[in-house]
Amino acid sequence: MNEHKLTFFIYTMGCQMNVYESEMLNMYLLNYGLLKVQNIRNANIVIVNTCSVRKHAEQKAFSYLGRLIKYKNNKIIVIGCMAEHLQLQLKKRFKNIDLIIGRNDTNNMKRTVLTIMKFLYQYKPNYIKNVYIKSSIIRYLAIAKGCNNYCSYCIVPFVRGKEVSFHYQDIFNKCTFMVQSGAREIILLGQNVNSYSNHGVTFTQLLRKIATIEKLMRIRFMTNHPKDLNDDLIHAMSVIPKICPHIHLPIQSGSDKILYKMNRKYNYEQYINLINKLRIAIPSINITTDVIVGFPNETEEDFNKTLNAIRKIKFGKVYVFKYSQRPYTSASKIHDNISYLEKQRRHKIILEESNKISLALASQMIGSTQEVLIDKLNHNSIEATTYHGYKTFITINSTHNNIHIGQIINVKIINIKGTSLFGNTILNE
Ligand code: SF4
């Protein structure tokens, strides 16, 4: 095989961590002279980065892998959570898969790349350099892997392993390097970023250190666990202008009974207290959340508590999921007694209610001036370039000539379509 002519295509499913890991893999493969292609038909190697968080995600991956059978000349490589816990099933069901690399390996992307290189070229490079071939304005960076929380419905601790916080100095160096190569916003990732701890350095201390990097304009982080969100972090968010006024804080349920069964380690009142603290400290904050409907034994009363929580808290966005049994988890031992139709009904109610609230919240921004870090440009417009960006996690669009990605601009909001805001550019001096 001529290594310089090999082309690859990565199909990514699941969470931001998977997006980040695909981005890393992409970078390493480019570094080895492989070519990335946008169309799967032109790819010699197809890498499928899978997700196991919900049954639905696994079914989607099965169906995708089934469709790949028609690409007979491609090498198919499967990585991610399914590759870890469904290896045998994947091998048995899809004879077209050439290589499966489990999560224990993909936790270390360098090791994954070494395995792929060995498979493609029958040799293992001695080491892999950290080369950032292409930088973009917004970059993800994992600060930890794994999780110790064992929420009763969640497969993550079983497929991604115990929580390990990466070395704080290494994270700082990577952030510095990303900024030097063009990044202006960094999104720190972890299954539970708030519980980060490395050589005595807490998550808030890490944030403070990263915020000192010159030319870095914005910092975000996800996901947060309510039990680990402390006053120190809320205070840092309120005083460090580089930290965006947005937090993703999964509530999962508004019922204490269900929260207890989920092993979430907080109750509704404690969650509301956090929301109040956040809103007092950072009045412009946009709070987004996750909700699971149809957890075993969730009664109509439990469900209504969740619905009332959504109405009371007014989240900027709710990601709502139907409960599905996951292997290894403690909830999988409880009979899944809520029918699919009932889960669908509850899902629809939460979605409709939360969409109304998102729209109302975004509409309140009409007439205000918002600071936008331009992350996307569309040159198709004849009169002016359309651009896109956000600060509070609500998309803002506007048009103007002579602007560039990475610029910070003020936009007077005049209109809303869907939940995207539109406005007039006010050029900064
Ligand atoms: S905090 Fe809970 S839901 Fe999140 S990854 Fe860990 S076990 Fe899963």
Side-chain angles (χ1 to χ4, degrees), residues 259-395:
L259 286 172
Y260 179 74
K261 299 262 178 218
M262 286 177 164
N263 192 29
R264 290 290 289 174
K265 302 183 183 88
Y266 56 85
N267 60 29
Y268 178 63
E269 195 188 333
Q270 287 165 326
Y271 187 89
I272 286 284
N273 284 342
L274 287 175
I275 299 291
N276 291 340
K277 280 185 187 178
L278 282 162
R279 290 208 164 122
I280 289 167
I282 314 138
S284 64
I285 197 163
N286 182 17
I287 303 170
T288 56
T289 201
D290 292 338
V291 162
I292 295 173
V293 292
F295 188 82
N297 301 320
E298 183 191 64
T299 60
E300 192 63 19
E301 194 189 339
D302 296 319
F303 170 69
N304 281 330
K305 285 183 179 170
T306 304
L307 184 59
N308 288 337
I310 304 291
R311 287 182 178 139
K312 179 171 174 176
I313 298 168
K314 298 197 189 322
F315 294 103
K317 178 144 184 77
V318 178
Y319 297 88
V320 46
F321 304 98
K322 301 180 220 58
Y323 171 78
S324 64
Q325 264 185 351
R326 302 286 59 222
Y328 320 114
T329 61
S330 57
S332 68
K333 296 179 185 85
I334 315 170
H335 176 50
D336 184 5
N337 59 350
I338 314 288
S339 72
Y340 187 74
L341 274 181
E342 181 55 22
K343 285 176 190 161
Q344 251 180 340
R345 185 187 73 86
R346 294 180 189 183
H347 181 273
K348 187 165 175 269
I349 292 172
I350 298 281
L351 200 65
E352 285 176 356
E353 191 64 22
S354 60
N355 283 347
K356 267 195 262 164
I357 294 166
S358 305
L359 183 65
L361 287 177
S363 303
Q364 283 171 10
M365 289 165 76
I366 295 175
S368 69
T369 299
Q370 299 291 326
E371 199 184 72
V372 173
L373 169 63
I374 299 165
D375 62 25
K376 268 188 214 147
L377 290 179
N378 173 8
H379 295 284
N380 293 336
S381 165
I382 300 165
E383 288 173 0
T385 304
T386 309
Y387 64 81
H388 159 287
Y390 54 71
K391 185 173 188 183
T392 60
F393 208 64
I394 295 176
T395 309

Side-chain angles (χ1 to χ4, degrees), residues 147-151 153-157 191-192 225 252 264:
C147 183
N148 295 341
N149 288 327
Y150 293 93
C151 298
Y153 52 83
C154 183
I155 195 173
V156 167
Q191 241 61 54
N192 178 13
H225 195 300
Q252 305 301 12
R264 290 290 289 174

Side-chain angles (χ1 to χ4, degrees), residues 1 79 89 125 140 174 190 201 257 278 303 313 342 393 399:
M1 246 186 258
I79 63 172
Q89 198 176 329
Y140 290 115
K174 280 184 177 155
V201 174
K257 179 191 101 187
L278 282 162
F303 170 69
I313 298 168
E342 181 55 22
F393 208 64
T399 52

Side-chain angles (χ1 to χ4, degrees), residues 98-117:
D98 297 280
L99 180 65
I100 301 177
I101 307 174
R103 173 57 65 193
N104 282 334
D105 259 354
T106 45
N107 268 342
N108 180 337
M109 220 15 100
K110 285 187 184 175
R111 218 159 45 214
T112 303
V113 179
L114 292 176
T115 311
I116 293 177
M117 298 313 287

